[in-house]
Amino acid sequence: AFFLSWPGQPLPSGPLEALASLKALGFPVNAPVAALSPDGQFTPVQRHALEMLNCRGVSYATLAPLVEEQTLQRPTLDWDIDGLVFKVDALALREELGATEHHPRWAVAYKFESPQGETKVEEITVQVGRTGRVTPVARVAPVVVGGSTITFVTLHNQGFIEGLELNIGDVVSISRRGDVIPAVERVVEKLTPGTWQFPDFCPACGSCLRKEGAHAFCPQPDCPDQKRFRLIFFAGKDQMDIENLGPETVDTLISLGLVNDPADFFTCDYDKLLDVPGFGPKKVDLIRAGVEKARKQPFVRVLTSLGIPDLGPKLAQLLIESGLKNYLALRDALENRAEELINLPGVGERTVESLKLGLLKPSVNRLIEKLTRAGLVMEAQSPRGPENTAFAGTVWCVTGSFEKFQPRALAEEEILKRSGRVVSAVSGATTHLLAGSGAGSKLQKAQSLGVSVVSEQDFLTALTQQRIPGQGVSS
Ligand SMILES: [Zn+2]
């Protein structure tokens, strides 16, 4: 954003003129692609601006070819764009058009179509996530869309597949929506009759799948795939951040039978890895170092790493700040005082229900016990020690210069540490003025208002005695 002013001259009628003036003054500007008018005619002032900006002035009839041209030029640009924006130039007209609740009426965006490609669905598999949700995924013949090769595309759920009437062997068109996530847009050529059907049983553990809303879930908590993803999640960067312990190492630990639940990361014998090709002593030492570092992660991390639905870092922090500093306190609150939790900001009935469902499970209870025995931090620490309230209720202003407190913010820090308040100007609410040498108008004002004036020496004494200057020793 920028502000322009033209002393003694009329303001530019719109961005076009403003940009031209800026360019004339030597500023680098990003000129529009083109200016459009109904018949391609422009006023002399506008024509001058267009010339200055090296910008084309064209008629509305040129709009379609212009969009086509820009679409073709897109890959040659040095930056990524996802569309074009058309704006009314005249500021007066913008004013008149105004805005709806959501957007101005004087600008409209044209989004380029997502890059697309056609390919054949070779296989549909289902993946079981750490929460048990089962997601169908299509493996397709590799196809390049928007510059990257796509082999796997999520199919979300049975409803999505039915909407497409998709089956294995069909030719589909694939786009990269927002140019990132590949998505199946439609079946282009139906080569296999019928629609692919979800399996009735979990491919990982054979349990009968359960439908919840649009999605299918594996109800077996011991399901090997769920377990695997829970372990990978727990060790992941945004959770316990166990360095040097990525998915491949987790898989190796599982296959050796060393790790069954997250607590095992902290107790298992990593020397057993030395027998596995690719795991030298150096690598194993790095893994152990990562585990030791993670063992000291704060409780809020431990809590969110459990992967309880809805229990992210924000909610975990909120619960801890509300005084629920360990698992027992959380469990007690969920079991006996759920209404209090519902009243926390941003926490509703639904959230509390999913916390109950997640945290009160016997399996989570057992895991918490194991993690405690493994020496993890299972209680949130107060950020400071016990609160020092020696100066509680006092309001300080600090002025002048000091021998021991340079800069004087150091003195202010001492006041804040003792629960006093610090203000920048003396007023009727000020209780103390800490006056160093060279104190001027603030000292006079304090004296006229009857505010206690404290010297550096008295202040130092008050700090060591932990009492408000001019008052008796507080207990
Ligand atoms: Zn399963």
Side-chain angles (χ1 to χ4, degrees), residues 128 132 134 201-207 209 218-220 222-226:
V128 189
V134 182
F201 302 99
C202 173
C205 71
S207 301
L209 296 181
C218 166
Q220 173 55 257
D222 288 328
C223 173
D225 276 15
Q226 287 185 47

Side-chain angles (χ1 to χ4, degrees), residues 17 44 68 110 217 330 368 462 468 471:
E17 267 182 53
E68 208 169 307
Y110 170 85
F217 287 82
L330 273 167
I368 293 283
I468 297 169
Q471 287 185 5

Side-chain angles (χ1 to χ4, degrees), residues 118-329:
E118 279 182 18
T119 185
K120 191 172 177 174
V121 174
E122 293 183 330
E123 192 188 9
I124 297 175
T125 54
V126 292
Q127 284 180 356
V128 189
R130 67 183 164 81
T131 62
R133 187 199 275 192
V134 182
T135 312
V137 178
R139 184 168 58 77
V140 298
V143 58
V144 177
V145 181
S148 51
T149 305
I150 289 166
T151 331
F152 291 99
V153 192
T154 179
L155 296 172
H156 306 289
N157 52 50
Q158 182 69 43
F160 183 80
I161 294 168
E162 260 151 34
L164 293 167
E165 289 180 46
L166 175 69
N167 212 339
I168 297 164
D170 290 347
V171 176
V172 293
S173 111
I174 287 176
S175 73
R176 284 175 66 209
R177 289 206 191 137
D179 288 357
V180 187
I181 307 154
V184 174
E185 292 293 342
R186 61 184 184 281
V187 173
V188 181
E189 207 177 334
K190 185 115 192 83
L191 296 178
T192 313
T195 300
W196 182 84
Q197 291 299 313
F198 231 81
D200 292 325
F201 302 99
C202 173
C205 71
S207 301
C208 192
L209 296 181
R210 203 167 52 202
K211 261 206 110 176
E212 273 174 47
H215 299 283
F217 287 82
C218 166
Q220 173 55 257
D222 288 328
C223 173
D225 276 15
Q226 287 185 47
K227 221 190 267 184
R228 171 174 182 264
F229 283 115
R230 277 202 300 267
L231 287 166
I232 292 171
F233 177 80
F234 185 89
K237 203 169 175 358
D238 292 331
Q239 288 76 40
M240 291 303 276
D241 192 16
I242 309 184
E243 285 166 21
N244 308 305
L245 214 156
E248 297 82 20
T249 305
V250 171
D251 284 339
T252 310
L253 291 169
I254 293 171
S255 68
L256 291 174
L258 290 171
V259 168
N260 187 49
D261 68 46
D264 295 333
F265 283 133
F266 299 95
T267 52
C268 78
D269 180 6
Y270 287 98
D271 281 343
K272 297 243 163 74
L273 280 174
L274 291 169
D275 300 333
V276 180
F279 286 89
K282 213 170 158 186
K283 188 166 173 180
V284 171
D285 277 348
L286 281 173
I287 294 171
R288 248 194 295 258
V291 168
E292 284 321 306
K293 209 170 143 194
R295 206 191 294 269
K296 300 190 187 76
Q297 289 279 23
F299 180 59
V300 62
R301 284 254 186 179
V302 179
L303 201 54
T304 46
S305 302
L306 299 174
I308 308 288
D310 290 333
L311 187 51
K314 220 171 137 190
L315 178 58
Q317 194 59 45
L318 182 75
L319 292 170
I320 286 169
E321 277 167 12
S322 78
L324 306 171
K325 295 194 170 177
N326 56 40
Y327 177 68
L328 278 185

Side-chain angles (χ1 to χ4, degrees), residues 221 230 261-263 299 302-303 306-308 311 326-332 334-335 355-374 378:
R230 277 202 300 267
D261 68 46
F299 180 59
V302 179
L303 201 54
L306 299 174
I308 308 288
L311 187 51
N326 56 40
Y327 177 68
L328 278 185
L330 273 167
R331 203 175 69 185
D332 175 58
L334 285 168
E335 280 172 344
L355 286 181
K356 273 187 181 175
L357 216 65
L359 279 171
L360 300 181
K361 264 188 213 160
S363 60
V364 170
N365 202 7
R366 278 197 301 275
L367 176 59
I368 293 283
E369 271 172 30
K370 272 188 85 175
L371 290 169
T372 311
R373 264 182 275 132
M378 298 308 283

